[in-house]
Amino acid sequence: ELLQPPETGDGDAITVMVSEKPARPDRDGEASPVLSPKSHGSPMSRTVSAGQEAAVHALLGKEGDVAQYADAAFDRVPDQVNLDVVIAAPCVHIPVKDLGSVTMNLGSIKLFTPERCSMKAVRMEVALEDTMLMVATKREEFNVISPLPIDIKLNHNETEDALMADVSVSIGDLTLIAAPQAVQVLAKLPDVFAELAPETTETTTETTAAQASTDVPSDQLDRKKLVSEVAGKSEAVQAATQRAKELTEKRLKVNLMANLGKLEVAVLDLIQPVLTLQSRILDNGIQVSHDSLMTGLDMNTSVNLSKLALVAYARNPSSHEWEPLLEPFHIGASLQLESVKEGSDALSTKLSCNAHNPLLLNVRAPSLYRLACLGPIFQASLESGEFTEKTRYRAVNLSGQPLRLDFICPSGTLQKDLLPDGSEVSLEEEILVYGASDISVSLEGDDSVASDPLSIETCGCTVVPGSLCVAQIWMPEPGCRMLLLAPPLRLHNTCDVPLELKLAASYEDQSAKFSCDAEHVGEAPPVVKMHSNFTPLDAAAKEKGTYLVMPNEIFAVPESAIENKNGLRADVSFRPFVEGHEFCSPFSFSSKVESDSLDVLCLRSLEEPELPRILGAKGNRGYMPRQDEKEKHDDEVDTKTRAKDVSTRTQKKGICACGGKSGMVTDPEDLLEDEESRAVSSLSCNIKHGVKAGHDLQITRLTVRPLLSLVNAVPEMDMTMQYRASSKALTTLLDRRPWKEIQLQSMVGVNVYDLPSAANGVELRGRLGDDMETPFSSSVLVRASALHNSAEMLELDFKQTASGAAAGIVAQPLGAGRVRMSCPRLFTHRLDDLKQDEEVQLFSSGAPLPKISEFTMLPNNCESKKCELLVRRWVDGTLREMKHNLTMPAAFDSFDVKTPWGTGYYCMQTEDLAASGMLGASCKVSSLRPRLVVTNASDLDLELQTPDGNVVVLNAQQSKPYHWHISSSNKGAASFHLRPAGHSDVSWSAAIPCSEQAAGSTPLLLSANGDSPSAAPLVWTAEIAPSFGAFSITLKKGSVFMASNKAQTANVNMELYSVASQKATTTGAATVVKPGEEAPIGWADPYTLRQFGVKVVIGGEEHFIQDLGRRAEIQIKGLKVMLSVSRVGESTILSLDDVYSPVAALLETGERTDDLSITSDQASTVEVDVQLCQLGVSLVDDEPTPRELLFIHVGDIQLGYKQNVTEDKEEINFRVGKLQGICQLPERVDGSMLEHKRQHKAGVLRKELPAVILANHGEKDANFLDINILREATSSQDLVLPAANVLMDKLDVTVDHDWLSPLLDWLERAIPQDAIDLGITWDDMKAKAGRSIAVNYEPPSVPAVACVESLKLSEINLTVWCRLPLSTLDFLPGPVRTILRVVSVSSHFTLNAAQIKLPEKKLPEYRGPVENLGVSIGMDYAASLLKIVMSLLGKSSLLNAGAIPLAMGGTVVSMVTDGVGSTIRGGAGLLGHLAMDEDYNQQQKMKREQKEITGAIDGFKEAGKSLATGLDGALDIFRKPVQGARQDGAKGLAVGCGTGIAGTVVKPVVGVANAGSDIITGISAAATFDSAAKRRRRERCRCRGPRMLYGKSAVMRKWSDSDSQLLLQLGSFAEGVQEIVPLASSAFHRYALLLCSDKLLVVKLRATQKMSERHSTQVDLAGKASTRSLAGKGHHHRMDRIFSELLHPIEEVQRISSSASGLSQTESTVAENVRGVLYEEIKRVEFVDVDDALVLEDQQGNSHSIPIVLESDAKEALQVLLEQAAKGRPNWRDFMHGWRPEEEVHETAIRPKQKDEDVVKMTSVSI
């Protein structure tokens, strides 16, 4: 309609009304074509056909040339506009075959102007609504992009000097969903579009080619002539030109205001959201201001983001609760772009980021593990999508009776019957199709009662009414849910043979199945193949009434065999289902058992009349033998005597069975006396308790395994193992008991059943192979504790032959009875392929080491003891030998050897094998290889001139190792020359050095001899890649520096001369680059000066570029071309380009006067400043009990970055002010807790457990870390660092087993093993072993090269406290571990304030790979550490036994004086209460906490202060009556007289007592040996207290300082707290209301300094505080008076509750400040607004008023909760949603929806 002739109207105004309708036909009835400037119908087209001319004529309404066309178009441009455009939302459906469909809704678009406006003052609004992207699978729908509203307002105005625009952008809340199912469908869209694309036929191709041949090439057109013609004839073009000139003289001013809603990104597994990241821009949104000329000069642009809020939540797999992964984090940013100088195009860019609060990350092991498992799931969705074939929802019924499942769906209840056949049943139809959200389980029958509903997404359990069956939903693997229906007592068979199980009561229905594959419930079979010498019997041999439990099956004990009396118990008996085995005696399998392991023996012969025995682990409690079996075995013994004897033996030896009933219980040591006469099979049973399904129902699993399992993790090497039970009575030398022997095949395991006992451990020894003549190794003892839990590696020496040397084998106890045998070090070679009789062999002490194919097994001490290398090769028809002694390096080493066939230069490289291919074992392979390999990557043969002057030919595409002689003049590096083979007219290249300094890609320029040009290429590149002591040199044609001539308009050539400096003379022929061509650039001698300069002659004018590695631009005005240097990928391009354009031609009015031949002298700069006040990482542990394990605090982080863009220089400054590593376990203390814990400050025999385990000293405000790095431009991809300085503060480090062991366990549970499986596979290593390095050689890529001119590393000064069991030091070298075991006087290795100082390092100038630089620095520090290992022993517990008596003397004095001081201090505290002055008591308490007495002098000073305070109290008789009368009149006068008299008498006495205590404390401190380091560590306070976990599920919330202090002060009383409600507070005390799961508590807390000064980080995404309680400070006096009368003492509350237990001494002290009441005792709950109190009435009619101030909605939520709790049905989830709405994650928008086929879809376009 714009192109139609204007109808009647005012002026030139045009009103446009656009709706969704077909294109309007023109006058001829045909649709009007849409023309673009690039289309063939455009007036600017080079060639116009007759039909196109007619169309243009019809369009414009008149005939004419191009200029007339332009004038006609200009006449149609309106002066005013009024728009109202509405485009309905097009919806596109794209089906994806076999997967689903994608629905894209582009959203409805509204474009309108509020009123008619001039083109120079436009007001416009654009509204985009309902933009969304939805993916539908076969059963689910995912709103990948939720409907998103966007509103844009534009206000444009043009003045005489500026163009101004105000833009307002408003974007609603945006939700993005990433689910594997949706990603899989979206990943297939490219394939769908490829199928929709039309096929290309030969006819179409020929037609296109014909048209292309007739078209006039664009590069042959005279564009300038065309523009000139149009400009000369058209008035419209002249007017447009004038208009363009006016605009260029005006300024452009833009103001943008963007308000964005909440952005939420949700990551889903196959079922539900597991991670959500939320962000919101707060305050004023994003503000952008721009002011510049239209040409872009004189720019001033600012972008301000005042506050961006971020928060991330991860779902806890156990509790199903959302927990903060990233706590609310607010950060602001500003960006400023400003021209450096008026008229200059150089810009100054400044970016500043400043965090408003700490960045806190919380990591929980189960959550991290699940997030790590999402990676493979999403990767599978992008590849084959096999994960979709797995059943996500399934159920197994092992209850022995049919059950009915009730699915709660949106449309009603759906039922499904489940048979007790143990098969896996899919529940996906009920859940995915019908949308079931919960499941209830009941017995079959109309009158059966359904269980409590279970959410299909939570991991929970419930009891089926009328039975003992437990319905449990758990997550066997990420993205799957399993509903297991089974009784709570279960047995897991991990043996390789079936178990025949006999119960006390058999089940009548033999069709029911009580076992299923353990893999169904997440118990995957072992990775290693396990077997034994047993052959299972046929199923027909099973006795009647017994059950068969196959390997790796879970068996549920039937209800009929379970006794439910004081816990669940079942009498079981089993045997291996193999020939000749009897059942073990019945024993009780109980949920009340206290032990976790026992050993069971099954007789293998019927000759013994004695009962099979059960071996009990020591330390167990609560088991008694079965009386009936005992009487049958020994009916002649008196019952009382027998009972007394059994009791005596149980108490004496700690022997027990399994849960109340047992066969004959025997001490394991008794069986070793007559071991020969017995034939038994031993099984180990481990009992593990799971979750509780009811008050008395706890899921208990009995895992049955072999007593011992041996695994051979040595590839392709069988071994023979011998074993026997260890004996306490006999030493190893006197023990003549026989050994039992088994054969271990490679990479398999053997289960051992004939071991009678492992109570004292197991002795092992072995040999390689099966040669009977080979002696066995010396034996090692695997202790009993190591069999149950993983432990240190044990070293053995295995021989393969009698005359051979022994290889180092390690036995690694893995727990659960498994011991893995592996070889940690192997050796191989990559020398030339060996001919007949040639060999490479390794010897130790003159004997050959065992070999595996092309690998040699190394001894344990190969890193310190030299091995002998023997190489035999044919030389001139004679078999010659080369011998060399070498040690195996930890990383790499290089050496040279003189051999009969010449000097050889070799390298030894050590690589790690992937642990997954070694059954989890660690193994390193050291490979001997030639040091240098040269590869010819070109298609031409090359001649190489060696350092000896010889010429060798390296064929095309060939790799070959060389051992070139290194002369002394070459400074340790060989060099060679190259030229194309057969081209004697080409000179040799410059010398190519084989050194790390020459690493990288270097272009070489060869010169042609004579005047005629050579046919051979003259530019070659040598790529030198050093890698761990070896060198790979790849020779290629061409260069990484290229010259490209793109100046086709100027039509000039480029003449290049490679020179080192501007004054250097140009020698040799120039490289000429014609327009449209490219040419490589090389240098004649690049390795000497490392200068890559060029002289470029263009049109007779010479230009010099000093370094092609730096970006540069040179504009040449006469030719209107520009010479530039830039990097494209891995190449550096020297390019000559035209600067002419048609637009510039239109704007030109004459000759330009500006100088275009030089660049601006102003440099563009970039500055970045990032400041973060604190980075904190919290590690939360779940096992054995939920707790915070560690907190890492990194404070005052600053990152500064400066870049000179023009000169390509950078400076980086990184600073960390403070570092603390804090162990948050309950028993850890810090400086703030010393007074309350009453710890002695010095005593070397006292065990210290400091909370701060890592901290820098921070003396004189020193930063923990300061890094300054300067980087300059390079001539290649090198990293040039003129200076690098690293400064680190002194550190205090505490290492003890109490936090190290839980941390290692946490890492093992949090990180999947597949994620850390690094190294080369065994198959890949085997394919290379023993073969020439040149076979299938692939040159390594050129490494990142660092050129460091100055590197300074500060001194590393560590003060170390260490206390580790000797069994955990297996990471130390073998000799060091041996020394420690010999000289140790205890079972622990202890360091006490040991100083570790690594000297300052100033590295010389270095050029080489970055990786090698880091390795060399690390190896240097490692060598320094080894030098001080022995010096540390002098400060350890191993060699300072002589210092202990002296320390004990000081400790005795200290203990005596400290005890006396404590007594006096306690007495003074009691007397202080008699003064009846609470303020005085609190002041005295705070003074005692703040006292620092480090010696006798300090003691006397503090004693004087105490006496002065006491004397001042004598004046209370005058002071207190006056104060009382002023406050309360006559009543106050009477009270003041009483307190005054008491204070006058008591306070002086208290002052004298405190003075005596101070003096004695000073004497105590002076009598102890206390260094500054110990004092510093002891008095250091942690920067953050421990995290509190909430509720029974130990839910993690945002950290709060007040909650942390509550946890520190209350200890165990704070466990299970659901919510904390702050009450009154004062300067001395704070009160809080604790809502527990079963009771309500009111607690009294000390108001510490931290609680008063710190601010909680609890803010939500919007920056609002989350506390729901008001200050309430006005009630603190009232709380002080009534606290002792509130509710009931905590002792009484615990006595009434079922979990009553005695209080410890520490708990008794805390209990004075805790009052409470059980919810079941509450009768009435009411809020009294007049008194601001919560009134609780108990069942006895007592009323308790608790002062509290809350908001109205909080009052209502709390009252509802307490009323529900009083009735026994508290709804904590609803309460938390109302109480903490800022922490709630709304899942409605991020959850997958069930696909509804009945919904009528909107009108859409289907593809």
Side-chain angles (χ1 to χ4, degrees), residues 30 48 71 120 212 501 528 537 603 761 893 1037 1145 1224 1242 1327 1421 1566 1578 1800:
E30 297 179 359
V48 181
D71 291 340
K120 292 187 178 181
L501 184 65
V528 57
L537 295 173
L603 291 179
D893 190 18
K1037 289 190 300 183
Q1224 304 283 28
Y1421 276 123
R1578 182 178 58 251
V1800 180

Side-chain angles (χ1 to χ4, degrees), residues 887-900:
T887 57
M888 300 300 149
F892 66 90
D893 190 18
S894 57
F895 56 92
D896 57 276
V897 184
K898 292 184 178 180
T899 68

Side-chain angles (χ1 to χ4, degrees), residues 1535-1558:
V1535 174
C1537 291
T1539 57
I1541 295 173
T1544 301
V1545 177
V1546 173
K1547 289 183 179 180
V1549 179
V1550 173
V1552 174
N1554 286 335
S1557 173
D1558 295 336

Side-chain angles (χ1 to χ4, degrees), residues 172 712 1629:
N712 181 4
H1629 290 119

Side-chain angles (χ1 to χ4, degrees), residues 1225 1228 1295-1304 1362-1365 1367-1368 1388:
L1225 297 179
R1228 314 300 286 211
V1295 182
D1296 58 71
H1297 195 62
D1298 295 321
W1299 68 263
L1300 184 59
S1301 179
L1303 176 61
L1304 296 178
C1362 178
R1363 180 176 173 82
L1364 291 174
S1367 59
T1368 62
H1388 286 75

Side-chain angles (χ1 to χ4, degrees), residues 1752-1762 1774-1775 1778-1779:
S1752 58
D1753 57 340
K1755 287 182 180 180
E1756 181 179 356
L1758 181 57
Q1759 183 173 355
V1760 171
L1761 175 72
L1762 293 178
D1774 290 348
F1775 173 73
W1779 188 265

Side-chain angles (χ1 to χ4, degrees), residues 24 45 52 135 195 412 472 529 596 669 722 787 817 910 997 1044 1338 1373 1393 1435 1485 1708 1723 1727 1743 1769:
R24 184 173 179 176
S45 176
Q52 292 171 338
V135 175
E195 294 177 359
Q472 181 182 10
K529 180 181 178 182
D596 61 348
E669 189 68 26
Q722 289 188 343
L787 288 174
T910 301
Q997 287 71 23
S1044 177
E1338 295 183 4
K1435 294 189 176 182
K1485 187 174 183 180
S1708 300
K1723 182 179 180 181
F1727 273 97
S1743 180
R1769 297 187 302 272

Side-chain angles (χ1 to χ4, degrees), residues 530 705-711 749-752 816-820:
M530 303 297 298
R705 60 170 176 82
L707 202 60
L708 176 66
S709 299
L710 299 177
V711 178
V750 173
N751 290 326
V752 176
R818 293 195 176 187
V819 180
R820 182 180 58 210

